[in-house]
Amino acid sequence: MSRDLSVIGHALSAPTRSAFLNMLMDGSSRPAGELASAAGVSASTASEHLSVLLDAGLIACKPRGRQRFYVISDADVAGALERLGHLCPPAPEITYRQAAGARDLAHARLCYDHLAGRLGIALADSLVENGWVDTDLVDVTPSGASHLRAQGIEVNELTQARRRLIRGCPDWTERRPHLAGSLGSAMAQAFIERGWVVRRQAGRGLEITRAGHNALKETWRVSAPL
């Protein structure tokens, strides 16, 4: 069956809509006013662009009281957008803050609900190198299940989720796959809850804390410098 790609193409054709999607790619939910302010457009213009993204099924709207918050529709949409990033040129960096933000994203960020950037790649490499995950990023090995259990992550529970346990998600900044799926989400949640990474004040980049660097070296046996 052929697909009408023009609907998605139209939704992605405006820089403002691209900016909105980039801001939501960390799995956050944001009100229209915040999106409009960050993209430098008026509330009415933001509303028009959000309607296009909603009609295309790329985002969803979740009412909270009198406000409406916008999110990426689901993990499949987030994964498709991350993969499309391989085909897209980087957005022009106009200010020092934008350039610094781009560096932050390349270093460590959330891709919807899992870790990406150099941090995500380093973790995926370590899981494979230590024999905890197979080389194709498809399944967890018995030793990997034991290691993850020691970190409070039960693989048996994750396999019962509706989504795949492991999926290689192409990283648009590193051009290599990082770890997605229910395991990738559980690992990201553990890193955040334990204070190994914290969200930066602006943008969707993550900062690796001192405790995080220690955990990467001692617990996850990451050899790459971060």
Side-chain angles (χ1 to χ4, degrees):
M1 179 186 298
S2 61
R3 302 284 184 176
D4 184 3
L5 301 178
S6 64
V7 175
I8 302 300
H10 171 65
L12 298 176
S13 64
T16 296
R17 295 197 285 273
S18 176
F20 288 172
L21 292 172
N22 272 298
M23 283 184 276
L24 297 173
M25 274 292 288
D26 61 353
S28 62
S29 59
R30 302 173 188 260
E34 180 181 337
L35 293 169
S37 177
V41 298
S42 66
S44 59
T45 298
S47 179
E48 293 175 3
H49 285 300
L50 289 169
S51 293
V52 173
L53 294 173
L54 284 167
D55 290 343
L58 297 178
I59 63 172
C61 180
K62 297 184 176 182
R64 293 185 194 171
R66 295 183 179 182
Q67 276 194 312
R68 292 188 295 177
F69 285 72
Y70 296 89
V71 297
I72 297 291
S73 293
D74 54 37
D76 289 337
V77 170
L81 292 173
E82 183 79 4
R83 287 189 290 275
L84 277 174
H86 284 264
L87 304 177
C88 304
E93 298 168 1
I94 301 172
T95 66
Y96 173 80
R97 181 177 179 180
Q98 289 172 323
R103 290 193 296 271
D104 291 342
L105 290 182
H107 183 243
R109 67 182 185 278
L110 283 173
C111 173
Y112 191 58
D113 64 352
H114 52 271
L115 299 169
R118 287 193 292 277
L119 170 61
I121 297 297
L123 278 169
D125 287 346
S126 179
L127 290 172
V128 172
E129 290 167 2
N130 287 287
W132 297 329
V133 169
D134 64 74
T135 56
D136 295 324
L137 295 182
V138 173
D139 202 2
V140 175
T141 65
S143 63
S146 297
H147 177 78
L148 291 165
R149 186 178 303 113
Q151 304 308 312
I153 301 174
E154 288 290 344
V155 173
N156 288 336
E157 295 179 4
L158 296 178
T159 56
Q160 298 173 12
R162 295 178 61 184
R163 63 194 297 192
R164 288 172 54 182
L165 175 63
I166 296 178
R167 178 174 62 81
C169 181
D171 195 292
W172 62 267
T173 56
E174 296 302 299
R175 307 292 176 175
R176 294 178 56 207
H178 54 247
L179 193 70
S182 58
L183 176 57
S185 177
M187 289 180 62
Q189 184 176 350
F191 268 65
I192 293 171
E193 290 178 350
R194 298 180 187 186
W196 293 342
V197 295
V198 294
R199 293 177 184 266
R200 295 187 180 274
Q201 291 184 346
R204 61 186 179 97
L206 296 173
E207 181 177 355
I208 306 171
T209 64
R210 178 176 296 181
H213 281 288
N214 290 337
L216 286 169
K217 181 179 179 180
E218 299 170 6
T219 302
W220 299 99
R221 303 178 191 172
V222 171
S223 56
L226 287 170

